[in-house]
């Protein structure tokens, strides 16, 4: 769950409250035997506190908006969950990392055209882009996830009063992790991923909308041996509430 509050025309704050539900299974090769191991657990993840400040506000319909993002991820999530056999899950799949991480980034948004809807009316066609960098600290057992560079560019086409087609290109570059005292293989961490992400947003009722994306990998270069999905599905609900006038 993500909560955002606008403080002024230029500034807003946000907080992310993650709740993680995870199922994980693999075959573990040990002493010539193939052992099936699995975990199924849920719990609170790490809270993220952030802020956004507009460096440039649009002074006309087609003028750009540029803002700066800063944030911190706090070690509030669970880090010691176990499976049914009592074996503690690896640090890398726990709901919380046990680390304090810093986030900085920039966002750009601009209306580039007016396009016709099905009704014959016109809607704005925006172009959005954002880049963030996350500096990860050492967490549980000294494990430190590699720093992460995230970038995305996208647009949305409102083809009716209540529905819009969405499209994004999402990129992720992550450094090697520092295993600390975990003895996990460093060479099997980090990599580069690029996804093409078509989606749909529908206004359910006034000020409440639902959205869905399909992330399709167009480029993937992972280090060593890692799990890699054929595609990702993302769903969400958003609501705008005016608390003060």
């Amino acid at each position: 769950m993500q909560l955002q509050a606008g403080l002024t025309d230029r500034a807003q704050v946000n907080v992310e409250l993650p709740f993680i539900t995870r199922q994980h299974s693999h075959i573990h090769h040990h002493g010539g035997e193939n052992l099936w191991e699995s975990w199924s657990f849920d719990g609170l993840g790490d809270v993220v506190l952030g802020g956004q400040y507009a460096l440039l506000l649009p002074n006309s319909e087609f003028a750009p908006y540029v803002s700066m993002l800063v944030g911190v991820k706090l070690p509030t999530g669970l880090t010691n969950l176990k499976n049914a056999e009592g074996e503690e899950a690896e640090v890398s799949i726990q709901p919380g990392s046990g680390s304090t991480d810093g986030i900085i980034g920039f966002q750009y948004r601009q209306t580039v055209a007016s396009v016709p809807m099905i009704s014959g009316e016109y809607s704005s066609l925006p172009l959005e882009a954002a880049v963030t960098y996350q500096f990860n600290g050492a967490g549980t057992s000294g494990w430190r996830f590699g720093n992460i560079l995230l970038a995305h560019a996208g647009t949305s086409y409102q083809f009716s009063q209540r529905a819009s087609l969405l499209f994004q290109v999402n990129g992720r570059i992550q450094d090697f992790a520092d295993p600390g005292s975990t003895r996990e293989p460093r060479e099997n961490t980090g990599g580069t991923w690029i996804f093409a992400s078509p989606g749909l947003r529908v206004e359910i009722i006034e000020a409440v909308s639902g959205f869905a994306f399909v992330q399709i990998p167009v480029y993937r270069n992972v280090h060593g041996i890692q799990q890699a999905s054929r595609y990702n599905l993302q769903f969400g609900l958003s609501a705008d509430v005016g608390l003060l006038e």
Side-chain angles (χ1 to χ4, degrees):
M1 181 173 63
Q2 184 182 69
L3 304 174
Q4 295 179 328
L7 303 179
T8 69
D9 289 343
R10 289 182 178 268
Q12 72 174 38
V13 293
N14 63 76
V15 57
E16 296 180 21
L17 307 170
F19 184 83
I20 311 297
T21 296
R22 176 163 287 155
Q23 290 81 38
H24 174 80
S25 302
H26 67 247
I27 296 174
H28 178 59
H29 303 284
H30 179 71
E33 294 184 276
N34 295 330
L35 305 176
W36 181 258
E37 296 182 339
S38 64
W39 287 264
S40 178
F41 53 75
D42 51 51
L44 292 174
D46 293 332
V47 169
V48 180
L49 303 177
Q52 183 172 352
Y53 184 80
L55 303 174
L56 182 63
L57 290 173
N59 54 17
S60 65
E61 181 183 359
F62 295 99
Y65 167 90
V66 179
S67 65
M68 181 179 182
L69 315 170
V70 293
V72 58
K73 185 178 75 65
L74 302 174
T76 59
L78 298 175
T79 60
N80 58 356
L81 295 182
K82 301 177 180 180
N83 64 6
E85 287 73 38
E87 183 176 352
E88 192 167 296
E90 298 169 1
V91 173
S92 57
I93 66 172
Q94 292 280 355
S97 66
S99 65
T100 299
D101 312 326
I103 302 167
I104 188 170
F106 293 91
Q107 183 184 47
Y108 162 85
R109 183 172 69 246
Q110 185 171 6
T111 297
V112 295
S114 294
V115 291
M117 298 189 293
I118 295 174
S119 63
E121 299 178 87
Y122 281 77
S123 64
S124 298
L125 185 70
L127 175 63
E128 300 182 1
V131 176
T132 61
Y133 192 79
Q134 181 168 323
F135 305 85
N136 293 321
T140 306
S141 301
W143 173 276
R144 186 183 72 82
F145 284 99
N147 293 341
I148 304 171
L149 175 68
L150 297 176
H152 91 265
T155 187
S156 62
Y157 167 50
Q158 184 180 355
F159 62 90
S160 75
Q161 292 293 338
R162 290 184 173 271
S164 300
L165 294 175
L166 311 174
F167 183 76
Q168 294 182 357
V169 176
N170 311 112
R172 175 188 180 104
I173 301 175
Q174 186 164 9
D175 294 337
F176 287 101
D178 182 344
S181 61
T182 65
R183 295 186 297 176
E184 297 294 335
R186 177 180 184 272
E187 63 273 14
N188 292 340
T189 64
T192 301
W193 299 260
I194 298 177
F195 297 91
S197 307
L200 178 69
R201 181 172 58 238
V202 176
E203 184 179 0
I204 302 170
I205 58 175
E206 185 177 358
V208 177
S209 61
F211 65 88
F213 282 100
V214 180
Q215 284 191 326
I216 304 168
V218 296
Y219 176 81
R220 181 171 55 209
N221 181 18
V222 299
H223 301 153
I225 300 172
Q226 299 185 47
Q227 296 184 30
S229 61
R230 295 184 178 90
Y231 59 88
N232 302 319
L233 301 176
Q234 182 179 359
F235 308 92
L237 291 172
S238 64
D240 295 323
V241 180
L243 300 179
L244 298 174
E245 300 216 356

